[in-house]
C-alpha cells in the first residue's frame, strides 16, 4: 500500500488552514464538518494537523516546511509530494465513512469511484451500524466466545444474511436477529481450486469465503496477491496441514 489508511479524530481540536479563496475555504469547511476548529498559522502551537492551500507553488512549499518544523502533519493542496497525508473522497453514512484514495494520483478518479458507491450503498447503512453498536453488550452476552461471535456476525452481514448491509430493512433487524439467530459453531471447510494466479479470477463465492476465513491452508505456490484477500488476522499454513476442528477453513489449491 502507498499509505496507511487512518481516520483521525479532530473534534474540538485546532487545525491550521493556510491560504485564501475558495480552495482554503473548502479545507476549512471540511475541518468544521469533522468537528475541528480551523485556525491561522499563528495558532499552530495548538494544532497537530495543517492544510496549505496556496496557488503559488514556492510559497506553498515554504509554508509546509515551516509547519513541519513545528511538528505538524501537513497536507498541501495539489502537491502530493509535499503531503504527510492526503485527503480521500469520502462517502458519509454516519457513523459509517467510506474513504476512497488514489494517494494523490487522481482526485477525479477517487470522486467518481465514490459517486458509484453512493448509488449502491443505502442511506440506512448508518442506522445499521448504530444498531449494532447499541447491541454490542447483548451480542457479547449471547456469544461470549470471540470466534463464535465473529462467525455469527459474519453470517448475518453476508449477502442474503439477516443483516445484509445492502438491504435497507436490515437497519431495523438487529433485535430480531439477536432473538432468533444463533451462530453455527461447527467447523466449515471450503476447498478452492484456483483458476489462475490472478485474484480477478476468483469467483464471488471464493472471494467471500476468503474474507471470512479463520484459517487459510494453501499450496506453497499460491501468490501473495491471492492470500491478502483473506482477513489480516486469519491463520495461514501451507499444505499439507491439519484442518482445524472449528471455524471456517479455506483450502487453496493451484489448478
Amino acid at each position: 500500500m502507498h499509505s496507511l489508511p487512518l481516520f483521525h479524530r479532530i473534534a474540538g481540536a485546532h487545525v491550521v488552514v493556510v491560504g485564501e479563496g475558495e480552495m482554503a475555504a473548502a479545507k476549512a469547511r471540511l475541518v468544521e464538518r469533522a468537528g475541528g476548529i480551523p485556525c491561522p498559522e499563528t495558532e499552530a502551537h495548538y494544532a497537530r494537523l495543517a492544510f496549505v492551500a496556496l496557488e503559488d507553488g514556492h510559497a506553498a512549499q515554504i509554508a509546509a516546511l515551516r509547519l513541519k518544523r513545528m511538528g505538524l502533519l501537513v497536507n498541501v493542496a495539489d502537491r502530493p509530494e509535499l503531503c504527510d497525508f492526503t485527503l480521500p473522497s469520502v462517502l458519509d453514512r454516519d457513523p459509517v465513512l467510506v474513504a476512497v484514495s488514489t494517494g494523490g494520483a487522481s482526485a477525479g478518479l477517487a470522486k467518481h469511484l465514490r459517486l458509484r458507491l453512493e448509488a449502491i450503498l443505502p442511506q440506512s447503512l448508518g442506522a445499521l451500524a448504530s444498531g449494532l453498536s447499541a447491541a454490542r453488550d447483548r451480542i457479547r452476552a449471547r456469544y461470549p466466545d470471540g470466534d463464535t461471535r465473529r462467525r455469527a456476525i459474519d453470517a448475518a452481514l453476508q449477502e442474503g444474511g439477516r443483516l445484509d448491509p445492502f438491504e435497507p430493512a436490515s437497519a431495523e433487524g438487529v433485535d430480531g436477529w439477536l432473538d432468533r439467530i444463533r451462530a453455527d459453531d461447527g467447523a466449515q471447510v471450503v476447498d478452492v481450486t484456483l483458476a489462475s494466479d490472478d485474484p480477478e479470477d476468483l469467483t464471488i463465492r471464493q472471494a467471500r469465503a476468503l474474507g471470512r476465513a479463520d484459517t487459510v491452508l494453501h499450496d506453497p505456490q499460491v501468490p501473495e496477491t491471492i492470500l491478502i484477500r483473506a482477513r489480516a488476522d486469519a491463520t495461514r499454513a501451507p499444505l499439507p496441514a491439519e484442518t482445524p476442528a472449528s471455524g471456517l477453513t479455506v483450502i487453496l489449491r493451484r489448478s
Side-chain angles (χ1 to χ4, degrees):
M1 298 190 298
H2 59 74
S3 302
L4 178 64
L6 301 171
F7 288 88
H8 198 88
R9 297 182 185 274
I10 63 169
H14 286 71
V15 177
V16 173
V17 178
V18 177
E20 296 179 350
E22 180 53 33
M23 186 163 58
K27 303 299 185 189
R29 287 195 298 271
L30 182 64
V31 170
E32 291 172 340
R33 183 177 171 188
I37 304 168
C39 68
E41 188 175 351
T42 54
E43 298 180 25
H45 53 286
Y46 292 117
R48 294 175 293 176
L49 299 178
F51 292 93
V52 175
L54 296 169
E55 295 287 352
D56 184 284
H58 181 68
Q61 183 175 15
I62 296 302
L65 289 173
R66 284 197 309 267
L67 291 161
K68 290 183 181 190
R69 289 193 188 105
M70 297 180 69
L72 278 70
L73 297 176
V74 180
N75 172 277
V76 184
D78 298 327
R79 299 288 299 275
E81 72 280 5
L82 297 178
C83 291
D84 296 312
F85 65 95
T86 56
L87 287 176
S89 186
V90 177
L91 184 156
D92 188 354
R93 296 285 190 271
D94 186 44
V96 176
L97 295 177
V98 179
V100 180
S101 172
T102 62
S106 173
L109 175 60
K111 179 182 73 173
H112 281 278
L113 289 172
R114 188 259 302 168
L115 290 173
R116 296 285 185 92
L117 292 171
E118 287 274 9
I120 62 175
L121 292 177
Q123 292 292 330
S124 59
L125 196 57
L128 173 60
S130 296
L132 287 168
S133 177
R136 183 178 290 121
D137 289 342
R138 290 182 62 199
I139 295 171
R140 286 184 177 275
R142 176 64 62 87
Y143 308 115
D145 175 73
D147 287 341
T148 303
R149 182 167 62 249
R150 182 185 51 72
R151 288 196 298 273
I153 294 172
D154 280 349
L157 292 174
Q158 69 182 346
E159 184 178 359
R162 288 290 301 272
L163 302 179
D164 185 339
F166 286 80
E167 293 295 332
S170 294
E172 306 299 326
V174 176
D175 287 340
W177 165 66
L178 277 172
D179 289 341
R180 291 187 290 271
I181 301 298
R182 288 196 176 271
D184 178 7
D185 294 332
Q188 297 174 274
V189 178
V190 175
D191 201 328
V192 173
T193 299
L194 297 172
S196 76
D197 288 345
D198 186 348
E200 295 300 319
D201 288 336
L202 290 169
T203 67
I204 294 174
R205 174 179 174 272
Q206 291 168 348
R208 187 179 298 129
L210 269 174
R212 295 176 51 216
D214 301 282
T215 305
V216 178
L217 306 181
H218 59 89
D219 282 339
Q221 295 80 19
V222 172
E224 183 69 12
T225 52
I226 297 284
L227 294 175
I228 61 173
R229 295 298 182 97
R231 290 176 18 237
D233 61 343
T235 300
R236 292 188 195 178
L239 289 169
E242 183 178 346
T243 303
S246 63
L248 173 61
T249 299
V250 172
I251 298 176
L252 295 176
R253 307 181 194 273
R254 297 188 74 191
S255 58

